[in-house]
Structure formats: C-alpha cells, structure tokens
Amino acid sequence: QVQLVESGGGLVQPGGSLRLSCAASGSISIIYAMGWYRQAPGKQRELVADITSGGSTNFADSVKGRFTISRDNAKNTVYLQMNSLKPEDPAVYYCNADVRTSTVAGSRSRYWGQGTQVTVSS
C-alpha cells in the first residue's frame, strides 16, 4: 500500500557530494518520520539520519557536520545531502518511513525502500 522510491545514488570522488531523494506514495494518511539508513559490506545496517514531521533531526556521529537531512511534507519526500564524502561512506542507502495509512483499516508501520548504491572512489 505504501511505496518508497529512492534516487540520487551513484559514483562520486572523495570529497564530492551527492543528494539522495526518497518519495513516498500510496495510501498515506500521516508520515511521522522519515530517515536514511546505510549498510556496507560485512557491516550491520545503521541509522544515518532521520527527521520527524515536526522537524527534529538525528544524525549518526560519523556523518555529523557533513550530511544534512530535510523533508518536504507536502510531497512526502525526504532528502539526504551528503557533502565531503569519504572512502568509508560507500554503502547501500535505504530510505525508511514511519507511516499511518489512509485505508479503512489504517495502521502505523515502518516501510523501506529498495536501496540505492553510493560508491566513493577516485
């Protein structure tokens, strides 16, 4: 009933920037929060950043000062601006949303996107 579509991943040189986008669609009533997670080979999935509908944000220590997260509530879209990318940043980045559906039997659940690859290489 709810789909998250990510875009913006790709190849970038160290020190470069990328902007990831995630658009939610479907039977949505309320999105309480949206965020980004990442998973590198051999490592567990970790929170990168998230943002609530009220604008509160949270960042992983490893990206503080380099990444920013923003949200367009009218478009049900979240953005992750990644600056000063480092060799340790490459991973599959996943969008996540805490959603209450607008169906008759609406419920609150977390939904995941399919992931987008970010590669940092010279």
Side-chain angles (χ1 to χ4, degrees):
Q1 299 97 326
V2 177
Q3 301 84 39
L4 304 179
V5 179
E6 301 120 325
S7 62
L11 176 66
V12 65
Q13 295 182 346
S17 298
L18 283 175
R19 181 173 178 262
L20 305 182
S21 299
C22 174
S25 62
S27 301
I28 298 171
S29 178
I30 302 171
I31 300 181
Y32 298 99
M34 301 184 75
W36 291 93
Y37 293 72
R38 69 184 182 186
Q39 186 168 22
K43 298 181 179 180
Q44 67 182 36
R45 187 174 299 184
E46 65 174 351
L47 172 70
V48 178
D50 60 18
I51 183 169
T52 69
S53 60
S56 298
T57 59
N58 183 50
F59 295 90
D61 290 340
S62 60
V63 305
K64 287 182 179 178
R66 298 188 296 120
F67 291 9
T68 59
I69 188 169
S70 60
R71 178 176 177 178
D72 187 335
N73 291 332
K75 298 180 179 180
N76 290 333
T77 300
V78 65
Y79 306 92
L80 184 69
Q81 179 67 47
M82 303 183 293
N83 299 322
S84 301
L85 284 162
K86 300 179 179 180
E88 59 264 34
D89 292 323
V92 177
Y93 284 70
Y94 297 91
C95 180
N96 179 265
D98 183 0
V99 176
R100 180 174 296 280
T101 63
S102 60
T103 60
V104 175
S107 61
R108 181 175 178 176
S109 301
R110 284 191 171 272
Y111 295 86
W112 292 93
Q114 294 300 116
T116 184
Q117 178 71 51
V118 173
T119 302
V120 181
S121 176
S122 61

